[in-house]
Amino acid sequence: MSENETFYDNEIAPALAGLAKRCQDRGLSFLAVVEWEPGEHGRTLTLQAGSGLGIRMADAAAQAGNNADGLILALMKYAHEHGHSSMLLKQLGVPLTPEKSAA
């Protein structure tokens, strides 16, 4: 474990967790990503129900790391569930309107 990762674990992550809790208590979504070396990061997240696509896309990017395919697949999954207006997702075969689940 690097010195910067230890610093993150011991000081930054707990402080971010406190901020995330304060945001959650106020009904705010929160995302923080801290990179301690290239390709190595930690993330703190709390999402409110109905949170916007922007914060969800940023979280998907953080989760995907250096894997563009992971990010694209996450965006496609979200678009299947919620719909979209993306020309590129449409070209990938993702329908514009959410798919209905069998009831």
mmCIF file of all heavy atoms in Angstrom, residues 18-50:
data_model
loop_
_atom_site.group_PDB
_atom_site.id
_atom_site.type_symbol
_atom_site.label_atom_id
_atom_site.label_comp_id
_atom_site.label_asym_id
_atom_site.label_seq_id
_atom_site.Cartn_x
_atom_site.Cartn_y
_atom_site.Cartn_z
ATOM 1 N N GLY A 18 -18.142 11.379 5.970
ATOM 2 C CA GLY A 18 -18.900 12.336 6.785
ATOM 3 C C GLY A 18 -19.666 13.329 5.921
ATOM 4 O O GLY A 18 -20.837 13.623 6.192
ATOM 5 N N LEU A 19 -19.028 13.834 4.882
ATOM 6 C CA LEU A 19 -19.712 14.746 3.962
ATOM 7 C C LEU A 19 -20.848 14.046 3.230
ATOM 8 O O LEU A 19 -21.936 14.614 3.052
ATOM 9 C CB LEU A 19 -18.722 15.317 2.946
ATOM 10 C CG LEU A 19 -17.714 16.332 3.475
ATOM 11 C CD1 LEU A 19 -16.690 16.650 2.402
ATOM 12 C CD2 LEU A 19 -18.421 17.593 3.942
ATOM 13 N N ALA A 20 -20.611 12.807 2.805
ATOM 14 C CA ALA A 20 -21.660 12.047 2.120
ATOM 15 C C ALA A 20 -22.867 11.858 3.030
ATOM 16 O O ALA A 20 -24.015 11.998 2.592
ATOM 17 C CB ALA A 20 -21.115 10.699 1.657
ATOM 18 N N LYS A 21 -22.624 11.565 4.293
ATOM 19 C CA LYS A 21 -23.725 11.385 5.249
ATOM 20 C C LYS A 21 -24.495 12.689 5.435
ATOM 21 O O LYS A 21 -25.734 12.684 5.475
ATOM 22 C CB LYS A 21 -23.160 10.896 6.587
ATOM 23 C CG LYS A 21 -24.167 10.794 7.711
ATOM 24 C CD LYS A 21 -25.072 9.600 7.546
ATOM 25 C CE LYS A 21 -25.906 9.346 8.773
ATOM 26 N NZ LYS A 21 -27.269 9.801 8.699
ATOM 27 N N ARG A 22 -23.783 13.804 5.547
ATOM 28 C CA ARG A 22 -24.455 15.105 5.681
ATOM 29 C C ARG A 22 -25.320 15.390 4.459
ATOM 30 O O ARG A 22 -26.443 15.883 4.578
ATOM 31 C CB ARG A 22 -23.427 16.220 5.889
ATOM 32 C CG ARG A 22 -22.760 16.154 7.254
ATOM 33 C CD ARG A 22 -21.724 17.234 7.426
ATOM 34 N NE ARG A 22 -22.365 18.544 7.411
ATOM 35 C CZ ARG A 22 -21.710 19.684 7.276
ATOM 36 N NH1 ARG A 22 -20.403 19.698 7.124
ATOM 37 N NH2 ARG A 22 -22.350 20.826 7.283
ATOM 38 N N CYS A 23 -24.789 15.091 3.272
ATOM 39 C CA CYS A 23 -25.558 15.297 2.040
ATOM 40 C C CYS A 23 -26.784 14.393 2.021
ATOM 41 O O CYS A 23 -27.894 14.847 1.701
ATOM 42 C CB CYS A 23 -24.686 15.031 0.816
ATOM 43 S SG CYS A 23 -23.472 16.325 0.505
ATOM 44 N N GLN A 24 -26.593 13.137 2.353
ATOM 45 C CA GLN A 24 -27.710 12.187 2.363
ATOM 46 C C GLN A 24 -28.807 12.659 3.315
ATOM 47 O O GLN A 24 -29.998 12.597 2.981
ATOM 48 C CB GLN A 24 -27.210 10.804 2.777
ATOM 49 C CG GLN A 24 -28.284 9.746 2.741
ATOM 50 C CD GLN A 24 -27.717 8.363 3.046
ATOM 51 O OE1 GLN A 24 -26.530 8.186 3.257
ATOM 52 N NE2 GLN A 24 -28.584 7.391 3.071
ATOM 53 N N ASP A 25 -28.422 13.131 4.481
ATOM 54 C CA ASP A 25 -29.397 13.615 5.467
ATOM 55 C C ASP A 25 -30.197 14.812 4.949
ATOM 56 O O ASP A 25 -31.317 15.047 5.390
ATOM 57 C CB ASP A 25 -28.699 13.983 6.778
ATOM 58 C CG ASP A 25 -28.155 12.767 7.525
ATOM 59 O OD1 ASP A 25 -28.519 11.616 7.169
ATOM 60 O OD2 ASP A 25 -27.348 12.973 8.452
ATOM 61 N N ARG A 26 -29.627 15.573 4.024
ATOM 62 C CA ARG A 26 -30.299 16.735 3.438
ATOM 63 C C ARG A 26 -30.986 16.414 2.120
ATOM 64 O O ARG A 26 -31.514 17.291 1.448
ATOM 65 C CB ARG A 26 -29.283 17.862 3.196
ATOM 66 C CG ARG A 26 -28.719 18.499 4.439
ATOM 67 C CD ARG A 26 -29.679 19.427 5.063
ATOM 68 N NE ARG A 26 -30.108 20.444 4.114
ATOM 69 C CZ ARG A 26 -30.515 21.636 4.435
ATOM 70 N NH1 ARG A 26 -30.543 21.985 5.686
ATOM 71 N NH2 ARG A 26 -30.908 22.490 3.516
ATOM 72 N N GLY A 27 -30.927 15.148 1.696
ATOM 73 C CA GLY A 27 -31.562 14.763 0.446
ATOM 74 C C GLY A 27 -30.739 15.091 -0.781
ATOM 75 O O GLY A 27 -31.279 15.226 -1.877
ATOM 76 N N LEU A 28 -29.425 15.220 -0.614
ATOM 77 C CA LEU A 28 -28.521 15.538 -1.718
ATOM 78 C C LEU A 28 -27.748 14.294 -2.140
ATOM 79 O O LEU A 28 -27.340 13.495 -1.295
ATOM 80 C CB LEU A 28 -27.509 16.604 -1.289
ATOM 81 C CG LEU A 28 -28.069 17.917 -0.756
ATOM 82 C CD1 LEU A 28 -26.941 18.777 -0.201
ATOM 83 C CD2 LEU A 28 -28.829 18.646 -1.840
ATOM 84 N N SER A 29 -27.534 14.152 -3.424
ATOM 85 C CA SER A 29 -26.645 13.105 -3.911
ATOM 86 C C SER A 29 -25.209 13.614 -3.809
ATOM 87 O O SER A 29 -24.951 14.818 -3.908
ATOM 88 C CB SER A 29 -26.975 12.756 -5.364
ATOM 89 O OG SER A 29 -28.243 12.148 -5.447
ATOM 90 N N PHE A 30 -24.268 12.690 -3.627
ATOM 91 C CA PHE A 30 -22.870 13.056 -3.414
ATOM 92 C C PHE A 30 -21.977 12.033 -4.096
ATOM 93 O O PHE A 30 -22.207 10.821 -3.989
ATOM 94 C CB PHE A 30 -22.569 13.068 -1.908
ATOM 95 C CG PHE A 30 -21.148 13.390 -1.549
ATOM 96 C CD1 PHE A 30 -20.751 14.702 -1.351
ATOM 97 C CD2 PHE A 30 -20.214 12.380 -1.383
ATOM 98 C CE1 PHE A 30 -19.441 15.000 -1.010
ATOM 99 C CE2 PHE A 30 -18.901 12.672 -1.033
ATOM 100 C CZ PHE A 30 -18.516 13.984 -0.842
ATOM 101 N N LEU A 31 -20.964 12.504 -4.799
ATOM 102 C CA LEU A 31 -19.951 11.639 -5.396
ATOM 103 C C LEU A 31 -18.602 12.322 -5.284
ATOM 104 O O LEU A 31 -18.456 13.492 -5.653
ATOM 105 C CB LEU A 31 -20.253 11.371 -6.882
ATOM 106 C CG LEU A 31 -19.164 10.654 -7.681
ATOM 107 C CD1 LEU A 31 -18.905 9.251 -7.148
ATOM 108 C CD2 LEU A 31 -19.523 10.631 -9.154
ATOM 109 N N ALA A 32 -17.628 11.589 -4.774
ATOM 110 C CA ALA A 32 -16.249 12.069 -4.738
ATOM 111 C C ALA A 32 -15.345 10.938 -5.210
ATOM 112 O O ALA A 32 -15.523 9.787 -4.819
ATOM 113 C CB ALA A 32 -15.855 12.495 -3.325
ATOM 114 N N VAL A 33 -14.394 11.277 -6.059
ATOM 115 C CA VAL A 33 -13.408 10.317 -6.549
ATOM 116 C C VAL A 33 -12.035 10.910 -6.278
ATOM 117 O O VAL A 33 -11.765 12.051 -6.659
ATOM 118 C CB VAL A 33 -13.592 10.040 -8.060
ATOM 119 C CG1 VAL A 33 -12.547 9.051 -8.551
ATOM 120 C CG2 VAL A 33 -14.998 9.543 -8.355
ATOM 121 N N VAL A 34 -11.188 10.134 -5.627
ATOM 122 C CA VAL A 34 -9.837 10.578 -5.319
ATOM 123 C C VAL A 34 -8.860 9.564 -5.903
ATOM 124 O O VAL A 34 -8.943 8.372 -5.601
ATOM 125 C CB VAL A 34 -9.621 10.708 -3.794
ATOM 126 C CG1 VAL A 34 -8.182 11.094 -3.486
ATOM 127 C CG2 VAL A 34 -10.595 11.704 -3.198
ATOM 128 N N GLU A 35 -7.955 10.036 -6.753
ATOM 129 C CA GLU A 35 -6.930 9.177 -7.343
ATOM 130 C C GLU A 35 -5.617 9.406 -6.612
ATOM 131 O O GLU A 35 -5.108 10.521 -6.583
ATOM 132 C CB GLU A 35 -6.780 9.504 -8.834
ATOM 133 C CG GLU A 35 -5.761 8.624 -9.531
ATOM 134 C CD GLU A 35 -5.617 8.969 -10.995
ATOM 135 O OE1 GLU A 35 -5.058 10.056 -11.287
ATOM 136 O OE2 GLU A 35 -6.073 8.171 -11.820
ATOM 137 N N TRP A 36 -5.077 8.354 -6.006
ATOM 138 C CA TRP A 36 -3.812 8.507 -5.297
ATOM 139 C C TRP A 36 -2.625 8.134 -6.171
ATOM 140 O O TRP A 36 -1.494 8.496 -5.862
ATOM 141 C CB TRP A 36 -3.778 7.729 -3.980
ATOM 142 C CG TRP A 36 -4.157 6.286 -4.076
ATOM 143 C CD1 TRP A 36 -3.357 5.249 -4.430
ATOM 144 C CD2 TRP A 36 -5.435 5.739 -3.817
ATOM 145 N NE1 TRP A 36 -4.054 4.084 -4.415
ATOM 146 C CE2 TRP A 36 -5.356 4.353 -4.020
ATOM 147 C CE3 TRP A 36 -6.657 6.270 -3.419
ATOM 148 C CZ2 TRP A 36 -6.425 3.501 -3.856
ATOM 149 C CZ3 TRP A 36 -7.722 5.417 -3.242
ATOM 150 C CH2 TRP A 36 -7.599 4.057 -3.463
ATOM 151 N N GLU A 37 -2.870 7.420 -7.270
ATOM 152 C CA GLU A 37 -1.864 7.212 -8.307
ATOM 153 C C GLU A 37 -2.616 6.802 -9.560
ATOM 154 O O GLU A 37 -3.770 6.356 -9.475
ATOM 155 C CB GLU A 37 -0.809 6.180 -7.909
ATOM 156 C CG GLU A 37 -1.336 4.779 -7.694
ATOM 157 C CD GLU A 37 -0.258 3.823 -7.203
ATOM 158 O OE1 GLU A 37 0.279 4.045 -6.114
ATOM 159 O OE2 GLU A 37 0.021 2.861 -7.931
ATOM 160 N N PRO A 38 -2.009 6.955 -10.736
ATOM 161 C CA PRO A 38 -2.740 6.646 -11.975
ATOM 162 C C PRO A 38 -3.365 5.248 -11.945
ATOM 163 O O PRO A 38 -2.687 4.258 -11.669
ATOM 164 C CB PRO A 38 -1.666 6.757 -13.061
ATOM 165 C CG PRO A 38 -0.687 7.749 -12.494
ATOM 166 C CD PRO A 38 -0.660 7.450 -11.020
ATOM 167 N N GLY A 39 -4.672 5.226 -12.174
ATOM 168 C CA GLY A 39 -5.397 3.966 -12.199
ATOM 169 C C GLY A 39 -5.839 3.449 -10.849
ATOM 170 O O GLY A 39 -6.524 2.429 -10.758
ATOM 171 N N GLU A 40 -5.458 4.116 -9.790
ATOM 172 C CA GLU A 40 -5.838 3.698 -8.430
ATOM 173 C C GLU A 40 -6.632 4.814 -7.767
ATOM 174 O O GLU A 40 -6.138 5.933 -7.625
ATOM 175 C CB GLU A 40 -4.595 3.390 -7.594
ATOM 176 C CG GLU A 40 -3.772 2.230 -8.128
ATOM 177 C CD GLU A 40 -4.507 0.906 -8.039
ATOM 178 O OE1 GLU A 40 -5.248 0.696 -7.064
ATOM 179 O OE2 GLU A 40 -4.341 0.075 -8.957
ATOM 180 N N HIS A 41 -7.860 4.508 -7.392
ATOM 181 C CA HIS A 41 -8.697 5.550 -6.799
ATOM 182 C C HIS A 41 -9.686 4.951 -5.816
ATOM 183 O O HIS A 41 -9.916 3.746 -5.790
ATOM 184 C CB HIS A 41 -9.447 6.330 -7.892
ATOM 185 C CG HIS A 41 -10.499 5.519 -8.590
ATOM 186 N ND1 HIS A 41 -10.229 4.742 -9.689
ATOM 187 C CD2 HIS A 41 -11.827 5.371 -8.339
ATOM 188 C CE1 HIS A 41 -11.333 4.138 -10.093
ATOM 189 N NE2 HIS A 41 -12.326 4.505 -9.285
ATOM 190 N N GLY A 42 -10.233 5.815 -5.030
ATOM 191 C CA GLY A 42 -11.329 5.475 -4.136
ATOM 192 C C GLY A 42 -12.498 6.371 -4.470
ATOM 193 O O GLY A 42 -12.332 7.459 -5.005
ATOM 194 N N ARG A 43 -13.703 5.886 -4.160
ATOM 195 C CA ARG A 43 -14.885 6.693 -4.454
ATOM 196 C C ARG A 43 -15.835 6.607 -3.278
ATOM 197 O O ARG A 43 -15.961 5.577 -2.618
ATOM 198 C CB ARG A 43 -15.478 6.253 -5.775
ATOM 199 C CG ARG A 43 -16.700 5.500 -5.788
ATOM 200 C CD ARG A 43 -17.054 5.060 -7.220
ATOM 201 N NE ARG A 43 -18.383 4.565 -7.287
ATOM 202 C CZ ARG A 43 -18.794 3.385 -6.818
ATOM 203 N NH1 ARG A 43 -17.954 2.581 -6.245
ATOM 204 N NH2 ARG A 43 -20.055 3.043 -6.926
ATOM 205 N N THR A 44 -16.512 7.713 -3.037
ATOM 206 C CA THR A 44 -17.523 7.809 -2.001
ATOM 207 C C THR A 44 -18.795 8.285 -2.681
ATOM 208 O O THR A 44 -18.775 9.272 -3.423
ATOM 209 C CB THR A 44 -17.103 8.812 -0.900
ATOM 210 O OG1 THR A 44 -15.834 8.397 -0.383
ATOM 211 C CG2 THR A 44 -18.122 8.866 0.212
ATOM 212 N N LEU A 45 -19.903 7.588 -2.431
ATOM 213 C CA LEU A 45 -21.122 7.855 -3.188
ATOM 214 C C LEU A 45 -22.354 7.673 -2.312
ATOM 215 O O LEU A 45 -22.446 6.729 -1.534
ATOM 216 C CB LEU A 45 -21.208 6.870 -4.366
ATOM 217 C CG LEU A 45 -22.498 6.845 -5.182
ATOM 218 C CD1 LEU A 45 -22.603 8.098 -6.037
ATOM 219 C CD2 LEU A 45 -22.542 5.599 -6.045
ATOM 220 N N THR A 46 -23.275 8.598 -2.456
ATOM 221 C CA THR A 46 -24.627 8.412 -1.961
ATOM 222 C C THR A 46 -25.556 9.046 -2.995
ATOM 223 O O THR A 46 -25.370 10.197 -3.379
ATOM 224 C CB THR A 46 -24.846 9.004 -0.544
ATOM 225 O OG1 THR A 46 -26.187 8.786 -0.148
ATOM 226 C CG2 THR A 46 -24.536 10.474 -0.471
ATOM 227 N N LEU A 47 -26.480 8.251 -3.495
ATOM 228 C CA LEU A 47 -27.418 8.729 -4.511
ATOM 229 C C LEU A 47 -28.824 8.762 -3.942
ATOM 230 O O LEU A 47 -29.262 7.802 -3.301
ATOM 231 C CB LEU A 47 -27.413 7.814 -5.743
ATOM 232 C CG LEU A 47 -26.161 7.808 -6.593
ATOM 233 C CD1 LEU A 47 -26.297 6.795 -7.716
ATOM 234 C CD2 LEU A 47 -25.875 9.182 -7.145
ATOM 235 N N GLN A 48 -29.512 9.837 -4.201
ATOM 236 C CA GLN A 48 -30.904 9.947 -3.809
ATOM 237 C C GLN A 48 -31.777 9.303 -4.892
ATOM 238 O O GLN A 48 -31.388 9.252 -6.063
ATOM 239 C CB GLN A 48 -31.300 11.421 -3.632
ATOM 240 C CG GLN A 48 -30.532 12.119 -2.532
ATOM 241 C CD GLN A 48 -30.741 11.475 -1.181
ATOM 242 O OE1 GLN A 48 -31.851 11.192 -0.777
ATOM 243 N NE2 GLN A 48 -29.650 11.214 -0.476
ATOM 244 N N ALA A 49 -32.938 8.832 -4.506
ATOM 245 C CA ALA A 49 -33.879 8.278 -5.478
ATOM 246 C C ALA A 49 -34.160 9.348 -6.528
ATOM 247 O O ALA A 49 -34.351 10.522 -6.202
ATOM 248 C CB ALA A 49 -35.164 7.859 -4.783
ATOM 249 N N GLY A 50 -34.137 8.955 -7.771
ATOM 250 C CA GLY A 50 -34.411 9.892 -8.853
ATOM 251 C C GLY A 50 -33.270 10.832 -9.166
ATOM 252 O O GLY A 50 -33.460 11.833 -9.853
#
